[in-house]
Amino acid sequence: MSGQAIFVTVILVFLLIALIREVMRPGLVLLSGAVVFMAAGVLTGREMIEGFSNKGMITVAMLFLVSEGVRQSGVLEELMVKLLPRRKVSVPRVMLRMLPSISFISAFLNNTPVVVIFAPMLKRWAEKMKVPASKLLIPLSYATILGGMCTLIGTSTNLVVHGMALDASQTHDGVRGLGMFELGMVGVPVAVIGLLYLTLVGTRLLPDNRQQTADEGQPAAEGYFRVDVMLGSRFPAIGKKMGEFDFAEKYGAHILELHRGGERYIVHDMRNMEFHEGDTLLLMADDVFMKNWADSSFFLMVSDSREDQPQKMGKKLRWFTVALLALMVLGAAIGELPVCKAWAAEHTNGMAFDMFFFVCIASVIMAWMNIFPTRKYTKFVSWDILIAIASAFAISKAMQNSGMADAVAGWAVGMSRGQSAYFMLALVFIICNVFTELMTNNAAAALSFPIALSMAEHLGVSPMPFIVTICVAASCSFCTPIGYQTNLIVQGVGGYRFGDFFKVGLPLNLIALVVSVLLVPMIWPF
């Protein structure tokens, strides 16, 4: 291993530690690493910023706006009302009725707004029907993750890997981008088996409701209602003691409880506790709080106790939003057909009728139709995720430029001499999956991609099975609540402990591993 490769390895170790310990936001950690590599000459200035102009990264940004438009429309609330039974039924029956539809929705929308809308509705229904909500909320999060791995736009990770594959196709034979529904050939079987596991086995492993919360059996004061919020990275009191920060004076709402790591703290226990990003607060709030702070980047609204909430928009505009989403997906799928690609190459100046093209059109139409609040549109974009994605491209390039990825791949192949390509595929899945459980899924994909690419070259096989496997493995964040934001959301709402995710999630990870290793080479041959 060259001196430059050793330097890159050392810096990556520091980055991994920083990501796992959450020293800073993931985007800033990865950006710091990219800047160090540029300063050390591993990256050129152009390579450092290429990720910020990558079509995959910009597509993710536009999809945030489209997802917000659908959320604002109120269509998802209407769907959930129809999915939930009107009388008490068994937990498996509720899940069979609900989870497939949720996975389907998550294949085309950002997972976070889906969980933010469905989690409180599901919790209220469970309390009304005397069903343990803790049996339903982790499956809700996992269903969105399983659905997200079925399409190119289901999760930002798929778009990141797609973008890296397009870049690598210029220098590596056999590498290409991914089609809109191509990942569904492995994602759908994983999702179907995973949902059956959650319905038949997972519910037995989940706890019953452990604790009574402050909102049970206590009427709210007139004009007030209870709402759960998760603290975002921009909340100004992060790191400050609660007793030193007058939350009620600042925001006009009163803290009743704090949920952290599955533990519940009431007002009298919290004065010397510090606010942490990801904490879930149970608040007594009013309409003024919702008007001023519901769309703030300080908070993520994860529960609203009001049974009847104001309809966000008229029926015609709601269904126009749904039609626009459907046309966006259909247009991107048709644009991938060979005849459409040939026509575009002949009649346009290099224009591709891909997801980037259609999501840009859809988001601009939504803005001009005022489907999402245009004066607040920057708040709906997760800038940290975008910075993390752009920086991940640079770090991946640094791993290739320095020879570090090739050295690690060569060492892994040498240590596994005599083992089949299936074994190496399983090894790539495990490495990427461990990364994604400990940090962000985009960072996990970025670190795994160049190593997997070099591993395929050392084995003399097609890199496509490894690329697809990274997409699946990076999405399978089932063992910990920290790898995926939807897991953090349901942890706060459901009062789960860390071990609850591991107990239910480890078998689900193993299911995804086995199905992927067996199925991927059959569809994308070595």
Side-chain angles (χ1 to χ4, degrees), residues 305-323:
S305 63
R306 292 174 295 177
E307 291 286 346
D308 299 314
Q309 299 179 36
Q311 191 57 256
K312 295 182 175 69
M313 62 178 64
K315 187 173 182 180
K316 289 183 179 179
L317 195 56
R318 289 203 303 274
W319 289 111
F320 175 80
T321 304
V322 174

Side-chain angles (χ1 to χ4, degrees), residues 100 252 279 473:
D279 285 348

Side-chain angles (χ1 to χ4, degrees), residues 495-517:
Y496 295 110
R497 298 193 178 102
F498 191 97
D500 297 328
F501 289 89
F502 187 83
K503 188 189 301 183
V504 181
L506 181 60
L508 197 52
N509 275 349
L510 293 175
I511 288 171
L513 168 63
V514 172
V515 173
S516 299
V517 171

Side-chain angles (χ1 to χ4, degrees), residues 192-513:
V192 170
I193 297 173
L195 293 180
L196 287 174
Y197 157 76
L198 288 172
T199 302
L200 302 177
V201 180
T203 52
R204 301 176 186 272
L205 302 177
L206 287 167
D208 291 324
N209 291 333
R210 290 197 185 96
Q211 57 201 20
Q212 188 178 32
T213 62
D215 63 329
E216 292 178 359
Q218 297 183 20
E222 186 177 354
Y224 282 80
F225 49 89
R226 293 172 177 85
V227 58
D228 286 292
V229 302
M230 191 169 78
L231 298 184
S233 60
R234 297 181 65 182
F235 179 63
I238 295 293
K240 293 183 179 180
K241 290 185 177 180
M242 298 187 186
E244 300 172 354
F245 185 83
D246 196 335
F247 189 96
E249 181 180 352
K250 183 74 174 176
Y251 301 108
H254 301 273
I255 301 176
L256 301 179
E257 292 180 3
L258 178 143
H259 295 261
R260 178 186 296 165
E263 298 295 330
R264 179 174 72 101
Y265 304 91
I266 58 176
V267 176
H268 302 297
D269 302 329
M270 296 188 295
R271 290 193 60 81
N272 293 320
M273 294 180 64
E274 295 180 350
F275 289 107
H276 290 174
E277 180 187 350
D279 285 348
T280 300
L281 304 181
L282 174 62
L283 305 177
M284 184 74 76
D286 58 11
D287 289 329
V288 175
F289 174 84
M290 298 301 291
K291 180 180 178 181
N292 293 334
W293 303 105
D295 292 326
S296 168
S297 56
F298 294 171
F299 309 110
L300 179 63
M301 301 291 162
V302 297
S303 175
D304 187 338
S305 63
R306 292 174 295 177
E307 291 286 346
D308 299 314
Q309 299 179 36
Q311 191 57 256
K312 295 182 175 69
M313 62 178 64
K315 187 173 182 180
K316 289 183 179 179
L317 195 56
R318 289 203 303 274
W319 289 111
F320 175 80
T321 304
V322 174
L324 192 60
L325 177 67
L327 288 173
M328 180 190 81
V329 174
L330 185 62
I334 293 175
E336 292 175 357
L337 297 176
V339 63
C340 292
K341 288 183 176 181
W343 185 91
E346 183 178 349
H347 296 88
T348 67
N349 188 23
M351 182 182 296
F353 295 108
D354 54 8
M355 177 50 64
F356 172 78
F357 178 86
F358 286 100
V359 76
C360 287
I361 293 175
S363 58
V364 168
I365 291 175
M366 283 186 174
W368 283 95
M369 295 291 292
N370 205 31
I371 293 174
F372 57 80
T374 53
R375 293 187 180 276
K376 300 179 180 179
Y377 81 99
T378 56
K379 295 181 179 180
F380 308 134
V381 177
S382 179
W383 297 103
D384 186 75
I385 289 179
L386 299 184
I387 292 171
I389 291 172
S391 302
F393 278 98
I395 290 173
S396 179
K397 189 68 174 178
M399 292 171 67
Q400 296 176 60
N401 290 352
S402 65
M404 178 264 185
D406 190 61
V408 172
W411 173 81
V413 172
M415 290 290 291
S416 307
R417 192 172 301 279
Q419 299 291 342
S420 67
Y422 284 88
F423 176 84
M424 301 307 295
L425 197 66
L427 183 62
V428 167
F429 186 103
I430 292 170
I431 291 172
C432 184
N433 192 236
V434 170
F435 281 164
T436 203
E437 295 287 10
L438 298 176
M439 51 186 174
T440 67
N441 47 356
N442 292 318
L447 294 175
S448 304
F449 185 89
I451 296 174
L453 201 62
S454 296
M455 196 176 288
E457 290 182 347
H458 280 275
L459 292 170
V461 299
S462 169
M464 287 307 297
F466 292 89
I467 291 172
V468 172
T469 297
I470 287 174
C471 288
V472 178
S475 293
C476 290
S477 182
F478 301 122
C479 285
T480 70
I482 60 177
Y484 227 91
Q485 190 177 36
T486 57
N487 289 348
L488 282 174
I489 293 170
V490 298
Q491 182 187 36
V493 177
Y496 295 110
R497 298 193 178 102
F498 191 97
D500 297 328
F501 289 89
F502 187 83
K503 188 189 301 183
V504 181
L506 181 60
L508 197 52
N509 275 349
L510 293 175
I511 288 171
L513 168 63

Side-chain angles (χ1 to χ4, degrees), residues 62-290:
M62 295 296 186
L63 283 170
F64 280 124
L65 298 179
V66 171
S67 294
E68 179 61 23
V70 175
R71 187 186 76 84
Q72 292 278 350
S73 72
V75 170
L76 295 180
E77 287 93 337
E78 286 190 6
L79 176 62
M80 192 61 169
V81 168
K82 293 179 179 179
L83 288 176
L84 289 173
R86 298 183 182 275
R87 57 185 178 85
K88 184 176 180 179
V89 296
S90 65
V91 171
R93 188 170 177 181
V94 176
M95 294 174 67
L96 279 174
R97 178 169 176 158
M98 179 183 64
L99 296 188
S101 297
I102 291 172
S103 291
F104 179 81
I105 294 167
S106 296
F108 305 102
L109 292 176
N110 185 286
N111 294 350
T112 300
V114 174
V115 173
V116 165
I117 290 172
F118 287 174
M121 296 181 70
L122 192 57
K123 184 179 180 181
R124 285 199 301 269
W125 178 88
E127 291 171 351
K128 184 178 180 181
M129 298 295 176
K130 307 299 182 184
V131 174
S134 54
K135 295 284 188 182
L136 301 171
L137 292 171
I138 279 182
L140 168 66
S141 177
Y142 289 177
T144 64
I145 296 173
L146 289 168
M149 68 175 66
C150 294
T151 68
L152 182 61
I153 63 171
T155 172
S156 60
T157 308
N158 292 347
L159 286 165
V160 169
V161 175
H162 171 68
M164 290 182 172
L166 289 177
D167 289 344
S169 65
Q170 301 175 16
T171 55
H172 295 76
D173 293 334
V175 182
R176 59 175 176 80
L178 299 166
M180 177 64 183
F181 297 107
E182 186 175 358
L183 289 170
M185 289 188 283
V186 62
V188 170
V190 171
V192 170
I193 297 173
L195 293 180
L196 287 174
Y197 157 76
L198 288 172
T199 302
L200 302 177
V201 180
T203 52
R204 301 176 186 272
L205 302 177
L206 287 167
D208 291 324
N209 291 333
R210 290 197 185 96
Q211 57 201 20
Q212 188 178 32
T213 62
D215 63 329
E216 292 178 359
Q218 297 183 20
E222 186 177 354
Y224 282 80
F225 49 89
R226 293 172 177 85
V227 58
D228 286 292
V229 302
M230 191 169 78
L231 298 184
S233 60
R234 297 181 65 182
F235 179 63
I238 295 293
K240 293 183 179 180
K241 290 185 177 180
M242 298 187 186
E244 300 172 354
F245 185 83
D246 196 335
F247 189 96
E249 181 180 352
K250 183 74 174 176
Y251 301 108
H254 301 273
I255 301 176
L256 301 179
E257 292 180 3
L258 178 143
H259 295 261
R260 178 186 296 165
E263 298 295 330
R264 179 174 72 101
Y265 304 91
I266 58 176
V267 176
H268 302 297
D269 302 329
M270 296 188 295
R271 290 193 60 81
N272 293 320
M273 294 180 64
E274 295 180 350
F275 289 107
H276 290 174
E277 180 187 350
D279 285 348
T280 300
L281 304 181
L282 174 62
L283 305 177
M284 184 74 76
D286 58 11
D287 289 329
V288 175
F289 174 84
M290 298 301 291

